[in-house]
Structure formats: structure tokens, C-alpha cells
Amino acid sequence: MAEKEPVIGIDLGTTNSVVATVQGGAPVVIRNRTGSNLTPSVVAVSKTGKRLVGQIAKRQAITNPQDTVYACKRLIGRKFSSQQVQDALKVLSYQVVCGEHDDIRVKLGGKDISLPEISAMVLRELKADADQYFGRPVTRAVITVPAYFNDGQRQATKDAGRIAGLDVLRIVNEPTAAALAYGFGKTVNGKITVFDLGGGTFDVSVLEVGNGVFDVIATGGDTYLGGEDFDNRVIEWLVMGFAKEHGIDLRKDRMALQRLKDAAEKAKIELSTVKETQINLPFICTPPGGGAALHLQKALTREKLEELCSDLVERCITHCDQVLAEAKVKPGDLKEMILVGGMTRMPRVVEAVKKYFKRDPCKGVHPDEVVALGAAVQADALTSEESHVLLLDVTPQSLGVAIAGGYVRRLIPKNTTVPTSVTELFNTSKDEQTTVKIMVLQGEAELAHQNELLGEFILTGLRSAKRGEVEIEVTFEINSEGIVSVSARDKETGQKQSITVTASGGLTEDELQKILEEQGDYMLEARASDELKNKRAELDAVMKEVGDLLPKVQKVTEGSEFGVDAVAKAVKGLESARRAREQGNLAAVSEAVDTLNRTLNLFRGVIQRIGTR
Amino acid sequence: MSAQRASQLVEAGLWLRLSGDHEGAKRLFEQALKLDPTNARARQLLDSPPPAPQQAGAVSNLDWGLATGHTPTPPPVGKSTPTPPPITKSSSTRPFGEGPPAGTHTVRLGEAEAPAIPDVPRFEDPHGEVMITGGDDDAPADNSTLVFGLSGVPVPPSASAGSLPQTGTLVFGGAAARGQGNAPPQVAPAGGGTLVFGNDRSAPPQVAPVAPASTLVFGNTRDAPLQAASAEPGGGTLVFGSGKETVAPETSPVAGPASSTLVFGAPGQSTPPPIAPVGESSTLQFGTLAREQNQVTTDPGLPPFAIDEEPPVEEAPPVKSSSTLQFNFDDMVPGSAASPRAPSAPPEEPQTAWETSNPRIDISQLDLDTPGEGAGFDLISSPAPAPKPRSPAQLREEVATLLSGAKDLLDLDDHSGAMELINKALELDPTDAAALKLKDRSERTLQAMFESKLGDLMVTPRVKLKDDEIIWLNLDHRAGFVLAQIDGSVSFEDLFAVSGMSRLDTARILAQLVEEGVISKG
């Protein structure tokens, strides 16, 4: 029996991403190359022109702010002109420009790059870790997104997966994935809440779970509240203390700030398990007038950290209040509470949540891995014949049309299983109205303008009559591919107009194809570069060995014709190897390796035969 | 041709020495001597030790263009200048290494950032000497030498200079080991008092002992030192601040009876102030004297300065910090009221091993022309001077000299030294094609050198020291940053990417860390 093709689940987070798979029936996290479960969702081009992804990109984020892209999840699939994007631009250190279709492009390494491409770099890194884990390429994945993501944002995430060389089986809501990781689809029926405090965002969702269907009743939160805000409080405290002591503002020095950020995050994490930690940053800065570099050494207690961040925890609870009110549930009505995100390890956060929800959170799964593990469970269920988990594709948000008065009439509510079709009759709203404009909207807001406009068309040639007399039949259809078709038919005349709406992540199909081709070239280059790197290392080793043996051979063959000839050839070989190494040509390096290997074998033989006499 | 080349090398070597690369400088001086064995300057620089390391940073910011020897050293005072009398046993100026004579103290105030001194030494001058009270020895000696400041070693005796009874010499600060700067102050003989505050770079004041003349030099005299002319009894000379470039003293005028000269601030590079006015006239100069002179001539009727029989001041001024010296003029009284003024002796070649190795501190190059707080007195804390405009020809010449030195260093495989010179040349002319080409060549070679010290760049380095050991290292914040990134998960190659610095700088730091055993190569 052929081995099952591996499939992975990916939590593509704002700050960190995680990849997981199901092995032997249990979901497990795949560690990245640095041995960590979390891969920062950061992409950069270093000053030396190297493309960096993950931890290494994060480490230089402050010293190289213009060429480091982070939190692109906040922007992906959105329109450049949207209010959310305009708000985000105020706090981003990298440059964002408007694309051809009001989409977003990021300036990175002197090039304009679309956001799906940026996300694809992170996904490719995760895929590479998975490839390494399985020992063969992985091509299929389930990716999670926040519950509030619209079709455009989901499509952009799918595009990112495609660019990264992944066939995205399904896009899953993060709270749903978290619930799945606990097996709630089978064991729990009722309302549960997911409290997700990540690195950069805070989401709280209320889900109705029943018979394998996960319905997100309400979701809310703050896209600008997360672990980084807690880190910043620690940084502030350190900076103030240092300024008081030495009169130097460390924030002005990028290197110092980078170290402070790393140290603050580390200290915060440590304080989740210990009561006090030492922050030790030797040679943090050189005084302006010169002299010996100064050290920053400080002890931070859990108590102090909680004092510094108390208002942030309060903000989380306020959002919980709002979401529960929206879902019309009380904390006591909830059957389970799941904590997601590394920040929920902080004892003060756990305490506050317990106090508010009046129950202990679910235990057993690491909060920063739970979403990826749920995604892996879903991925496994989708590809496994034995799986008993029923998984349905549902519409993430409601679909409807704009009606008189600026309101929305919803035809397909959110979480409707696809494929689906709905038809509804509408009437003209004015006397003598001969045309009608159909505006297709997506979203949950009551007012039309607060929803996402997917497309519009006009149906003409209606009979001139009093208002309400002419009937128009509007049909919404979503096929299994998620493509929405909307048609309007004059019932009297049978005249019909229609529109097909395909979710767009900001890239056209042509653009996507072009990126995929370029990506192929890049992958080839990357492979060639890896090969060259390996060959160079091989060459270095053999050059060293030949170089070490050369004097010995010279000595033992002194005076002989063979010796003179062999040594001269070896010297020449070393010289051309050095040149080949510098040129960086793979063929030349390989040839040099072969040549020197022959010389090495010869030398070893000479030493063995003559040298031991 | 070779002589000219040698001179260029000497100039380039001086750059290096100023920037702290003493090894590179030494090589260039040696190269210059090879080319021109008669090049006395090269020999002298080679023999003379580099300045103390603390100075390097400060000196490297200085405007060397004004002190590269374009301005000739002023000629020695007239041939008739009498040779200073030999040292007598009554002088308290002593050879280095010997114990202090009874009743005298050699005081050195701070090497770098001297803290405020709680117990300010009190100065008394009961017998025409400058001494510190409270000494536990008897004080029979007639003469004292006090060296304040950064030189780090006491002022040595000059073989040719002698001290006679009733002579006092104070040197505050130090003189740099350059040119004639090794010669210590010529101690005034009988009755003469010499006080030198700050630094005399090239040559210290040569105050000839003509009783009862007194000379005070506050601040710095740059290339051209104060060469007090032969003064008649009663003459007094004070120079406050810095003499820059040429403070060519009037050699001919002779200070008449009771004549006084006071120069406050920094005489510029053009006409120097007449230091020794004749007759009853007194000259006072306050503030900065750059190019044009600010002379304030006092009422001729004023009494001469500091020729009192009994100095009125008993307490030394408190030293607030090493970077700001505040003097109360009233406290600064020359050694002996009865000191007759003597013609100054010409600067002499170093006579002893000590003299040639005297690491004298030179802050005289600080541009005291720069207006600002405490100009002329706030010597160390003065902001770095703005570069002086140079003519294109001058620039080209300087760049050529620097590049020539850089090429020589490259031939000697001293790429670090060469980079110093190339960078300096590029500072002068950032577009110079030859400099850019050389820089590229040097950088590539240096990078290859440093990377070869690291070995396989894909290897993940590890920190070998513990946290509490690391803090005792002598690293700057950049090295500290690189060190902080080494956590056992990033390779050398990754470190180049995350350092935020150029590949060369990162490689240099990493090579240094490997060399010093701070990190391991995998």
C-alpha cells in the first residue's frame, strides 16, 4: 500500500506562524530549523541583500526597519484605500504603496511586492521545515485565518499558499481550529469561547458547536493589542531606568533598541514561570562622549510586569464583555473556554480570564500551538478516508443585496454550507422605475455601506409602473469552488442580467501566473545557491587537506622528478580552486573539488608508501 | 624623489598615529627611513613613543590640516640666547625613577576623567617655590616641579636645563610627543617662575631664566610654542588658551622693566601677539584670536603682572572635572616674585630615554577658535571643530599624500592601516576614484582575511564565556550587539545578515571575538 501523502496544517499568524501535522493519529507540531515551534511571520531583505524569513528576520527588524515586513496579515486582501489600511500605515516602519487595482504593495529590497508574495515567503519557510520533517516535499495544506476575514482576505491567503507551492485544501477559522484541536467536534455540543491573545492581535470568539459544525456566533477584539504591547511596557521601563541612571535614551540607538526588545520579550516569557528574572545587556551603548560601553543589568519581577501591563489585561476583558453581549450569552452559559496565543501563558491574564468567565480554561494543548494543531486535524480529516470528522465548507460572511434606505437584505447567511442557492423576490421602490441596480454585498453590518461591495450590475427595461408592482427575482448561487453568481430577472418580461463574483485577493490571474513563474526561477536559483554553498564547503575541506599534506609530500619526494611534478600540479590546482571559489561558479567549483580530490588521493598514497619508510 | 616620498610617508604615519594605529604608523616611519635615512623627522617619530591611548580618540577628531607642519616651527630665539644653566642639586626637578626630594611633591591629576578632588591642595609660596602644604617632609628645596594633568609620568629633568634656587615650574597637562614636543619645560633658573597649564604641543615654553621674570602659559600653545624673549627684570608673560599654528614670538623685543604680556584665548594662525612688549606697556588678549588680533592694551600705568614679592594666593583652584578646568587667575601666581626674566633657550633634542618616551598628552590641537561655552578654557569638552575649508589644490595634495601612504601600507599588508588613510582621504574627497578603488580593494582583502579567521561561515558560533565574565571584556556597543546575537542558533553567515552593519565591520568584530576567545567557531 502506497504511503499516504503528507498534509500539513498551518497557523499563519500576525506575529508568529506554526506548522503541524497528524502522525499516528495525534496532531504534532513540526519544529523549524532553529528548533523552535514558532516561526516569526517576518520577512526581510538584509543590508547584504539576502532574503531573510522568520527568526533571523525578526532579529534585525529594528536595525533594518525599512526592509523588514511584519504583521502583513493586518493588510492582506484589503484595499489600499480602506480605512483599516490607512490606519495601519501610520504605524508601519516599511513602505507600503498602492497597486494597480487598489491593492497593497510593499517596498522590499527596492522592489514592489504584493502581500500574498510576502505571506508566501513565510509559508515557504514552513513548507521547507515540513519537507525536511517528512523527508519529501509536502504540497497540501490547510491554512487558518481569523474568523472575521472576508472572501478577499481568504482568497489572498489562498494565493499566498499557491505561490508557496501549496495546494490549499481549505481555509479554516482560527477559533474553529482551536476547538477542533480539543476534539470538541465530537465531545462538546453547545457554546464555547476562544480567547486568543497573540503577539500582535487579540480576538475573542463565541462558537456554537454541534454535530461537527462550528458556527462562529460572534467575534471581536483588537487588531492592535498583543504581546508586543506587553514587551513595549518592559522596554519603556528599562529605558527610563537607564536614562535616570546614565542620562542616555537607549531608544535612539537602533542596536540598543533591538536588544531591549529581544530581552523584554525573553523576560516576559520567563516571568510566566518564575517570579523574578535578570535582564542582562552588556555593552548596550557607548556614551556620547566616548569611553567604555555601558551595561544594562536589571531585575524584573512578575509583580512589576503585572503592574506595568495591568491596563492591557483590562482592555482584553472589556473586549470579552462586548463580544459576549453581541453573542447574547453570559459567561456562565459557556461550556468551555479555550486559551490561544503565547500571551495567555501570563499568570495575570489567566487569572483575569478565569475571574471573568468564572471557569478554568481548557488544558492540555499549548496555547501557541493549538490553532496549528487544529488545522492539522482538519487537513488530516480532509485527506483521510477513515476520518469521522464531518467537515463542511461554509460561507464565512453573509451575502446580500443593497435595498432602499441604504440597508442590506441578506440572502445567504454566514456559515451556510456550500454549494448553495437562494432566490428571493424584490419589488421596485419608486413609481415609474424602469431600472434597478443590484449591489452584491458581503458582511454582517446592517447598513449597506459598512459591508464589502463584491460587485454590481443594472437590470434595465422594466415595465413602467407604480412602486412595488414590478417583481424582480434575485438569485444567489455559490458553487463548490466558492464562486458566487448573482442574477436578477424581471418576472414579467423574463429579461435577465447576471454577474459572477470571484473573490480576489488583490492579484489578477495573470499577475499570479507571472509571480508563479518568477517563483520557479527563484526556487531554481535558491537550489543552485544551496548546491554551490555545499560544494564550496566541500572544496574548503579538500583544499585544507591538500594544503596540509603539501609540505609533507614535498619533503618525502624531495629531489625526485615525480615530487617536483606532483607538487607543482598540486600548487596549481590549489590556485585554480581558490579562483573558482571566488568566482562562485558551480561548475568550476565542482571541477576544482574533483581535481583536488584526485590530488588528495595521490598525496595520501605517497605519504603511505614513502612517508612511512 | 625618495626624500619627498619619505616625507609623505611620515605625514601618513602621523595620521595613523593620531588615529591610534601605532603599529601602522611605525611601519610607515620605518619605510620612510628606508627611503631616506637622513629624514630626521621619521627617525624622531620612530624613536618617540605614541601618545597615551586615552588621547587617541580625542586627538583623532582634531583638525590635523592646521598642524601638519605646513607652518614652520618658529626659529629659536636669537643666537645670543644663553644656554640654560646646568641642573643643580638644589633643584627639585628630578630624573624619573628617583624618589622625590624632601619637601616636594609631584602631583598628577587624573589620567582620564578625574573625579573632583575633595581636598584641594593648597599652594604656598613661602620661598619663591610652588609647593603643596601638608606634606610630611621637610621642605628645604628651593625649587619645585609640579606636573598636573595627563602625562602620566612626572616631568623629567632636562639635562640641559637647570634650576637654580628661587625657581618654580608648574606644568599642568602634558605636552605631546611630536616634533620638539618631547622637550620638557626648561626650568627657569634663579628666581624665574614658569607655569604651563594645558598642553604645549610641539615645543613647550622655553622660558629663559632672567630673574625675576615670570611666565604663565594657560591652555595650549600649538606648533609654535611660546618663546619668551629675553626679558628684563620685572617682565611677566601669561598666555591663556591656545596658540595655534604660529604663535611666533617676537624675538627681538625685549621686555623692559616691569613689562607684562597677557594672552587670553587662542591666538590664531596669522600674526602672533607680541609676547614681550617693551617698556612699561602691557598687552592683554582675551578670547579667541583667529586671524585677526584682539588686542587690548592696558593702561601703561598698570603695574606689571605677578611680580609681587609675596604671592597673594595660597589655595590651588578646585578641579571640577577632567574635561573642564577652571582657573582662578588670582590663584595662579608664578613661582617667585624675585625671579628675573631670562632669555629663552632654543628647543633641544631629547636627551634622555625618558624624554624620548615621555607620553605627553596633547590637547593643543583642539580648535579653540570655535566659539562656545568656555572657549579657550573648556579645552577637553569643546565640541569637535568644523573642518576648515581648504583649497582644491590643498585637498588634492592631502588626498594624494594619504593615498600614497595607504598604498605603501597595502604593500606591507597592513590593510587596516591603509583603510584608515583611505577613509581619511575619502572624508576629504568622497568622490576620489583612486581612493574608492583602493578602498574596494582593501575592503575585499580585509574581508577575506577576517572571514578566513572565522573559517566555515555556515558554522554556528557559540559564546565561550559566562555572562559575568563577558562584562569584563573591553568591547564597544557594536561588538556587544553582535555578541548578543550569538545564541547557538545563528551561523556566521546569518550574523552578517542580522548585524545591521557592513559585512566587513561584522567580520572584523567576529574575528576579534574569535581571536580573543570570547566565541568559538562552532
Side-chain angles (χ1 to χ4, degrees), chain B residues 262-339:
Chain B
L262 285 98
V263 183
F264 285 65
Q269 54 184 344
S270 51
T271 320
I275 289 172
V278 181
E280 291 289 315
S281 72
S282 297
T283 303
L284 281 126
Q285 295 188 352
F286 289 85
T288 299
L289 285 176
R291 301 186 185 279
E292 77 263 359
Q293 290 181 29
N294 289 329
Q295 288 198 13
V296 181
T297 306
T298 55
D299 187 335
L302 284 173
F305 178 79
I307 316 294
D308 299 331
E309 283 295 321
E310 292 292 326
V313 177
E314 293 182 357
E315 285 189 7
V319 179
K320 286 193 173 178
S321 78
S322 65
S323 59
T324 307
L325 292 167
Q326 294 186 343
F327 297 110
N328 180 347
F329 304 148
D330 293 336
D331 291 351
M332 303 303 171
V333 180
S336 169
S339 300

Side-chain angles (χ1 to χ4, degrees), chain B residues 361-372:
Chain B
I361 296 299
D362 189 354
I363 53 170
S364 66
Q365 285 189 337
L366 284 170
D367 192 350
L368 298 175
D369 288 353
T370 310

Side-chain angles (χ1 to χ4, degrees), chain A residues 34 46-48 50 52 56 59-60 63 253 255 258-259 262 280 282-286 293 295 297 533, chain B residues 458 467 470-471 473 475-478 480-481 484-485 487 489-490 493-494 496-501 503:
Chain A
T34 61
S46 76
K47 286 181 180 167
T48 53
K50 193 178 171 186
L52 310 171
I56 193 153
R59 278 172 168 232
Q60 51 89 73
T63 55
D253 180 353
M255 280 187 185
Q258 176 77 59
R259 290 181 69 187
D262 295 343
N280 213 340
F283 313 105
I284 184 83
C285 75
T286 305
H295 309 311
Q297 286 170 309
K533 225 180 266 176
Chain B
M458 297 315 289
D467 282 357
I470 284 172
I471 59 166
L473 297 170
L475 302 177
D476 68 356
H477 69 290
R478 295 179 356 138
F481 180 77
Q485 305 308 310
D487 62 354
S489 72
V490 286
E493 196 61 60
D494 292 335
F496 288 126
V498 301
S499 70
M501 291 179 261
R503 195 173 172 96

Side-chain angles (χ1 to χ4, degrees), chain B residues 122-499:
Chain B
R122 291 166 58 83
F123 289 105
E124 284 185 357
D125 192 13
H127 307 294
E129 306 158 358
V130 180
M131 298 180 70
I132 297 173
T133 61
D136 49 3
D137 307 317
D138 292 326
D142 292 319
N143 301 290
S144 299
T145 298
L146 287 142
V147 182
F148 283 65
L150 307 169
S151 69
V153 283
V155 169
S158 167
S160 59
S163 298
L164 292 174
Q166 304 301 315
T167 298
T169 301
L170 274 114
V171 180
F172 279 61
R178 195 180 78 79
Q180 308 243 356
N182 289 327
Q186 304 302 307
V187 180
T194 303
L195 282 103
V196 182
F197 283 69
N199 296 279
D200 51 330
R201 184 180 183 80
S202 295
Q206 306 293 332
V207 184
V210 177
S214 300
T215 302
L216 283 101
V217 181
F218 281 58
N220 303 283
T221 58
R222 201 170 265 195
D223 280 356
L226 169 65
Q227 304 284 346
S230 55
E232 292 300 316
T237 302
L238 277 113
V239 179
F240 284 65
S242 170
K244 196 173 172 190
E245 280 286 314
T246 308
V247 189
E250 296 285 340
T251 50
S252 53
V254 174
S259 72
S260 298
T261 302
L262 285 98
V263 183
F264 285 65
Q269 54 184 344
S270 51
T271 320
I275 289 172
V278 181
E280 291 289 315
S281 72
S282 297
T283 303
L284 281 126
Q285 295 188 352
F286 289 85
T288 299
L289 285 176
R291 301 186 185 279
E292 77 263 359
Q293 290 181 29
N294 289 329
Q295 288 198 13
V296 181
T297 306
T298 55
D299 187 335
L302 284 173
F305 178 79
I307 316 294
D308 299 331
E309 283 295 321
E310 292 292 326
V313 177
E314 293 182 357
E315 285 189 7
V319 179
K320 286 193 173 178
S321 78
S322 65
S323 59
T324 307
L325 292 167
Q326 294 186 343
F327 297 110
N328 180 347
F329 304 148
D330 293 336
D331 291 351
M332 303 303 171
V333 180
S336 169
S339 300
R341 199 131 193 232
S344 63
E348 300 207 1
E349 289 293 314
Q351 298 295 315
T352 64
W354 187 91
E355 283 172 308
T356 55
S357 64
N358 179 13
R360 307 177 85 181
I361 296 299
D362 189 354
I363 53 170
S364 66
Q365 285 189 337
L366 284 170
D367 192 350
L368 298 175
D369 288 353
T370 310
E373 202 181 322
F377 293 98
D378 191 7
L379 301 177
I380 297 167
S381 62
S382 293
K388 298 274 183 218
R390 297 177 177 84
S391 72
Q394 270 180 317
L395 267 179
R396 273 197 301 276
E397 192 189 329
E398 277 189 52
V399 169
T401 303
L402 290 165
L403 291 185
S404 156
K407 279 177 191 161
D408 284 307
L409 283 175
L410 284 176
D411 291 343
L412 294 167
D413 266 346
D414 181 357
H415 294 272
S416 302
M419 279 295 285
E420 293 271 2
L421 294 182
I422 294 165
N423 284 334
K424 209 75 209 177
L426 282 172
E427 266 174 36
L428 297 172
D429 181 5
T431 59
D432 189 279
L436 289 169
K437 202 175 161 189
L438 266 186
K439 186 179 182 184
D440 185 52
R441 178 185 149 191
S442 255
E443 276 183 350
R444 271 191 284 121
T445 315
L446 270 178
Q447 197 167 302
M449 278 166 57
F450 292 133
E451 286 184 10
S452 73
K453 284 182 186 172
L454 302 178
D456 183 0
L457 299 180
M458 297 315 289
V459 154
T460 302
R462 277 163 213 287
V463 181
K464 286 161 80 177
L465 304 181
K466 290 177 190 162
D467 282 357
D468 52 352
E469 291 171 331
I470 284 172
I471 59 166
W472 297 108
L473 297 170
N474 184 22
L475 302 177
D476 68 356
H477 69 290
R478 295 179 356 138
F481 180 77
V482 173
L483 187 58
Q485 305 308 310
I486 301 173
D487 62 354
S489 72
V490 286
S491 64
F492 281 124
E493 196 61 60
D494 292 335
L495 285 166
F496 288 126
V498 301
S499 70

